[in-house]
Amino acid sequence: MKQPKLEVRAKQLIEVDGLKFKDLNGNGKLDPYEDWRLPYAERVKDLVSQMNLDEKVGMMLINTRFTGYQVPAGEPTSHDGIIDERVIEEGTNIFAKRKIWPTTHTINELHLRHFILRDNYSPTKLARWNNAMNEICEASRLGIPCISTSNPRNENAEFVFGMNDAMGVFSTFPATMGIAAAVLGEKALGKDGQIFSDFAQAARIEWNAAGIRKGYMYMADVVTDPRWQRTYGTFGEDPELIADAMERFVDGFQGDELSAESISLTTKHFPGGGPRENGFDPHYKEGKWNCYLTPGSLEKYHLPGFLAALKSGSFMPYYSAPSISKSVVQKIAGQDVPFEEVGFAFNWYLLEEVLRRRFGFKGYVNSDSGITDNMCWGVEELSIPERFAKAINAGTDIVADTNNAPDLKTAIEKGWISMERVDEANSRLLLEMFQLGLFDERTYVDAEAADEIVANSPGWEKAKEVHRKSVVLMKNSNQTLPLAEGTKVYVQMWHKKPETSAAKTAEAREQIGAVPGLVIVDQPEDADALFLMVDPQSGDYFNATPGLLELTICENKPLKAVDGTEYTETTVSGAEEFRQMARDGRARGQKVIISINYSLAWIIDDIEPLADALIGSFHSFFDAQGEVIAGKFKPQGKLPITPPASEAVIAVDEQGVCISPNDVPGYDKDQYLPVGMSYAYTDADGNVYRLGHGLTY
């Protein structure tokens, strides 16, 4: 076997048979786990046999860990300011209720080796941090390295903790639904999903350069309830498209099998987060249930994406629990699924019987964040050690965003979790680290080269192309688009936050003004065409709205809460100003082009009639949209979701039952609606805005 290039910073290299090895436990001899010539399984078995209980417990936890770069001056850091050594008291993190210890203490005393990285610094800075973390790990008793994971970093978005932690440093594509819109456009032209593959292969280069070896990505969830706030982050509602995406992502990020060049993926959120109870999200108790109202919906719509991703390094179960009373019996391969009303990380049947035994999944199960403290649906009455036991015994191997080693250790010491099961979980977790080369040639990366590697990634040019291809021309009355050369255009953007509206308007005018053929004017009255852009926002990621999530373009709209009280909701500040500007433009004979940013399946029955041309975007760059309206790029994007026709098609009755089933995608809902009612929006020109809709010129 070829000698790998080994680097040590805290221990020594030893020579055996003319070859070099890391002496990770410092005993002066070659142990099987240190011998890179041996099969991974043999190395894992030896290492697990040498680990004590505290080390095994720490291996089964993953916690958010911030870098030292954002530590205020005068507060403790190490490794030249790279490592955060602060003590942060409990209650400062939305997920964990535990005291946050300094990094070195967390590694050496709590024995954690898995960390969630949320900071958004340059690739070189991130690589230095990963290297410093592993230097601390190497100095520990057994020299077990650590691995950092991250939420996606390659999509354009707004910052949302836990969903969009970092962006703009790596190549920046449109939001995931925009990537899906571009691929659907390619497929309509007779091409395939190569965009998914190109994206993954480019991102893999960038993540490797920064030393981030694992991604909490991507969402294989199918959108079936339009009020689900996590629609953003999915690839829409087409199970076939999502399966294609997941298969290509696993291949593009991981390769045929995990290796020293792979980024290991955590596919989420098994067995699918789409069938929400009227859209409420399980980050809060109002959304704790998955509701399967339709025979066969679990297998037909929600599982295909996960089946395509079975080679993922790990799977993440969703917070939610399946409701028995609000579901019909579901079958998988002809066999009934016996639902247990506990969160999916606690659900033995779906994790062990279905995912592992029937589907053949070989990776490990990584819980979502906070399942033993906050989002512990179905096991609220259990003590925290009992919750750990329930999750681990159900097949969850690592519990996310907690450093609560004492309660996990208590569950083991009380015999609620067997040592056999603890060793099994550790073996699965360590196997991935060996496969990724973290014990051998990939413990450290070339941090000083990281910025240049990312800057030269093929992802940047590919991203520009995908932004253009993501733009969906939904309506084009009387051939409004493309605009003629020299057209004077007024541009304005509306957002929920007025300060964001102003900043985005300035950005949009600058970018669109750089598109050849368009002349940007400062006043709407001076324009030939108005380009009016809306970016609605609805609800709060971590808190339930008083009533159902609002999907209309509105400001201070009177609504009734679930308990009957009244409240108001705003999705766009200045919504009436936006409408009036469109009406005034039409009255002056100007062309009115409206762009809607689809982070949710917005209801636009009072917006579309104001537009001569209507564009759907997905955090698509402003200049990409400008190129489409100016005729510099012929639109080809297709809708990855079906926007509802009106509030009537998603109305919820007094018993809490939605008129269109929560577990069926929009393109397939019509068969369940009353006769004469259609789910998809139809515009004034007769265009039906169903999955796959998109015009060109």
Side-chain angles (χ1 to χ4, degrees):
M1 298 179 69
K2 184 180 179 182
Q3 168 76 58
K5 184 178 180 180
L6 304 178
E7 179 182 356
V8 288
R9 298 188 178 185
K11 297 288 176 64
Q12 301 295 318
L13 294 176
I14 56 176
E15 189 169 319
V16 176
D17 300 330
L19 299 170
K20 293 183 178 180
F21 303 86
K22 294 181 181 182
D23 185 15
L24 292 172
N25 61 8
N27 65 359
K29 65 179 184 179
L30 181 62
D31 290 84
Y33 85 92
E34 300 163 338
D35 190 343
W36 46 260
R37 299 171 299 182
L38 295 177
Y40 294 133
E42 189 173 337
R43 299 178 71 183
V44 166
K45 183 177 180 180
D46 176 62
L47 178 54
V48 170
S49 74
Q50 295 195 39
M51 295 169 70
N52 62 38
L53 179 58
D54 289 327
E55 290 162 340
K56 292 175 181 179
V57 167
M59 183 64 60
M60 297 169 69
L61 304 174
I62 180 169
N63 202 198
T64 293
R65 178 54 48 178
F66 293 102
T67 67
Y69 304 125
Q70 43 79 54
V71 174
E75 296 196 29
T77 62
S78 65
H79 293 73
D80 297 321
I82 296 174
I83 298 296
D84 181 358
E85 299 289 12
R86 294 174 297 170
V87 172
I88 302 176
E89 296 300 331
E90 65 184 45
T92 58
N93 184 289
I94 191 168
F95 294 122
K97 296 182 177 179
R98 308 290 153 190
K99 184 175 184 177
I100 298 175
W101 295 94
T103 300
T104 300
H105 177 95
T106 300
I107 291 172
N108 289 332
E109 304 302 324
L110 298 179
H111 306 286
L112 267 69
R113 289 298 187 273
H114 293 79
F115 298 101
I116 306 169
L117 175 62
R118 304 186 190 274
D119 284 0
N120 195 35
Y121 292 98
S122 72
T124 285
K125 281 191 168 185
L126 296 178
R128 288 172 181 162
W129 178 80
N130 277 300
N131 285 348
M133 293 285 286
N134 267 308
E135 187 173 335
I136 297 169
C137 291
E138 186 185 314
S140 67
R141 185 178 79 91
L142 294 173
I144 300 172
C146 66
I147 183 170
S148 64
T149 190
S150 171
N151 284 307
R153 290 175 176 259
N154 288 83
E155 296 90 65
N156 192 34
E158 294 189 21
F159 287 98
V160 177
F161 178 82
M163 186 161 61
N164 308 308
D165 299 311
M167 66 206 70
V169 172
F170 294 167
S171 61
T172 307
F173 288 71
T176 48
M177 284 203 294
I179 301 172
V183 172
L184 284 170
E186 294 279 274
K187 292 191 173 189
L189 294 172
K191 302 179 183 179
D192 60 16
Q194 184 62 33
I195 283 174
F196 289 138
S197 299
D198 292 343
F199 168 85
Q201 289 159 9
R204 174 180 179 171
I205 293 169
E206 298 164 20
W207 286 55
N208 260 317
I212 307 171
R213 302 303 307 284
K214 190 160 183 68
Y216 277 167
M217 54 195 189
Y218 276 89
M219 290 174 67
D221 309 84
V222 173
V223 176
T224 52
D225 190 308
R227 295 186 179 102
W228 183 35
Q229 198 169 43
R230 294 212 70 177
T231 294
Y232 181 81
T234 72
F235 294 92
E237 65 177 32
D238 182 353
E240 183 178 340
L241 178 78
I242 291 167
D244 186 26
M246 301 315 297
E247 185 173 3
R248 288 176 179 273
F249 287 153
V250 172
D251 181 66
F253 277 100
Q254 296 189 174
D256 291 337
E257 57 184 23
L258 288 179
S259 72
E261 302 304 317
S262 298
I263 305 300
S264 181
L265 298 187
T266 300
T267 296
K268 54 187 186 180
H269 302 87
F270 183 79
R276 309 277 63 250
E277 185 179 15
N278 300 326
F280 287 116
D281 189 271
H283 278 94
Y284 41 80
K285 68 180 186 304
E286 292 86 348
K288 68 189 292 184
W289 299 117
N290 263 24
C291 301
Y292 301 95
L293 304 163
T294 311
S297 64
L298 173 62
E299 186 172 44
K300 180 178 180 180
Y301 303 120
H302 298 285
L303 288 179
F306 297 99
L307 288 168
L310 287 175
K311 292 183 179 179
S312 296
S314 55
F315 266 30
M316 179 181 288
Y318 207 29
Y319 292 122
S320 52
S323 170
I324 295 174
S325 64
K326 300 173 184 179
S327 301
V328 298
V329 173
Q330 297 294 312
K331 295 179 182 290
I332 298 175
Q335 296 185 35
D336 290 358
V337 178
F339 282 149
E340 180 184 4
E341 290 186 323
V342 294
F344 290 115
F346 304 101
N347 201 305
W348 177 88
Y349 187 86
L350 284 165
L351 295 183
E352 288 293 335
E353 173 63 20
V354 174
L355 182 59
R356 290 201 181 278
R357 192 184 73 79
R358 291 203 219 166
F359 292 171
F361 177 65
K362 302 298 183 185
Y364 64 85
V365 174
N366 189 136
S367 86
D368 214 332
S369 296
I371 66 158
T372 54
D373 282 328
N374 292 356
M375 286 70 82
C376 48
W377 312 132
V379 297
E380 295 96 325
E381 300 307 313
L382 299 181
S383 68
I384 291 177
E386 288 171 327
R387 293 173 191 170
F388 271 111
K390 177 73 170 171
I392 301 302
N393 290 330
T396 297
D397 298 296
I398 185 168
V399 179
D401 231 346
T402 181
N403 60 1
N404 187 7
D407 279 336
L408 175 53
K409 184 177 180 181
T410 293
I412 298 167
E413 290 178 330
K414 285 183 175 291
W416 298 339
I417 307 171
S418 70
M419 282 308 303
E420 180 183 15
R421 175 69 186 103
V422 170
D423 288 352
E424 179 182 56
N426 271 262
S427 297
R428 289 171 178 164
L429 295 160
L430 286 165
L431 176 61
E432 177 181 81
M433 297 173 75
F434 277 107
Q435 291 171 321
L436 292 173
L438 291 169
F439 280 86
D440 302 312
E441 72 270 34
R442 289 303 306 276
T443 310
Y444 304 104
V445 297
D446 185 351
E448 303 317 305
D451 281 351
E452 184 177 359
I453 291 171
V454 172
N456 292 324
S457 164
W460 298 98
E461 284 303 313
K462 180 58 65 174
K464 290 180 183 178
E465 175 189 331
V466 177
H467 275 279
R468 298 184 190 103
K469 292 180 176 180
S470 72
V471 177
V472 180
L473 180 58
M474 300 163 69
K475 176 185 178 182
N476 193 26
S477 296
N478 301 315
Q479 298 180 316
T480 296
L481 300 182
L483 297 177
E485 192 84 11
T487 297
K488 292 182 289 185
V489 181
Y490 175 79
V491 176
Q492 188 167 340
M493 157 75 84
W494 286 265
H495 186 276
K496 185 170 184 174
K497 298 177 182 177
E499 63 274 20
T500 302
S501 301
K504 291 292 186 181
T505 294
E507 183 182 344
R509 287 177 178 173
E510 180 181 0
Q511 290 189 18
I512 295 170
V515 175
L518 300 181
V519 179
I520 304 301
V521 297
D522 294 330
Q523 300 298 325
E525 296 81 5
D526 298 331
D528 302 312
L530 306 180
F531 189 33
L532 311 181
M533 314 173 79
V534 287
D535 184 3
Q537 311 288 313
S538 191
D540 184 318
Y541 186 44
F542 294 109
N543 297 285
T545 49
L548 301 171
L549 194 75
E550 184 58 36
L551 292 180
T552 66
I553 312 302
C554 64
E555 183 173 26
N556 297 321
K557 179 179 179 179
L559 295 170
K560 276 198 174 182
V562 174
D563 63 7
T565 59
E566 295 182 352
Y567 71 106
T568 61
E569 183 64 90
T570 293
T571 57
V572 173
S573 291
E576 184 52 36
E577 177 196 23
F578 154 70
R579 289 187 176 89
Q580 190 60 49
M581 190 174 291
R583 287 192 289 261
D584 290 346
R586 297 288 289 275
R588 287 191 294 262
Q590 297 166 316
K591 296 298 185 183
V592 176
I593 307 154
I594 295 177
S595 170
I596 300 174
N597 188 53
Y598 277 96
S599 53
L600 289 167
W602 304 112
I603 295 172
I604 57 170
D605 53 354
D606 65 341
I607 300 298
E608 173 272 319
L610 303 175
D612 295 296
L614 185 66
I615 282 175
S617 69
F618 308 88
H619 286 283
S620 310
F621 284 160
F622 298 135
D623 56 357
Q625 297 183 58
E627 290 179 22
V628 167
I629 68 171
K632 306 305 177 185
F633 186 85
K634 186 175 288 190
Q636 67 175 67
K638 306 293 181 185
L639 286 176
I641 51 174
T642 301
S646 64
E647 292 184 278
V649 301
I650 56 170
V652 175
D653 66 20
E654 293 180 356
Q655 286 71 46
V657 177
C658 186
I659 192 170
S660 53
N662 311 113
D663 58 336
V664 174
Y667 70 85
D668 226 7
K669 286 184 188 285
D670 279 5
Q671 60 185 304
Y672 303 102
L673 287 169
V675 175
M677 183 177 279
S678 180
Y679 183 82
Y681 182 73
T682 300
D683 70 18
D685 293 346
N687 299 306
V688 181
Y689 295 180
R690 189 174 284 113
L691 169 72
H693 169 66
L695 307 175
T696 191
Y697 50 66

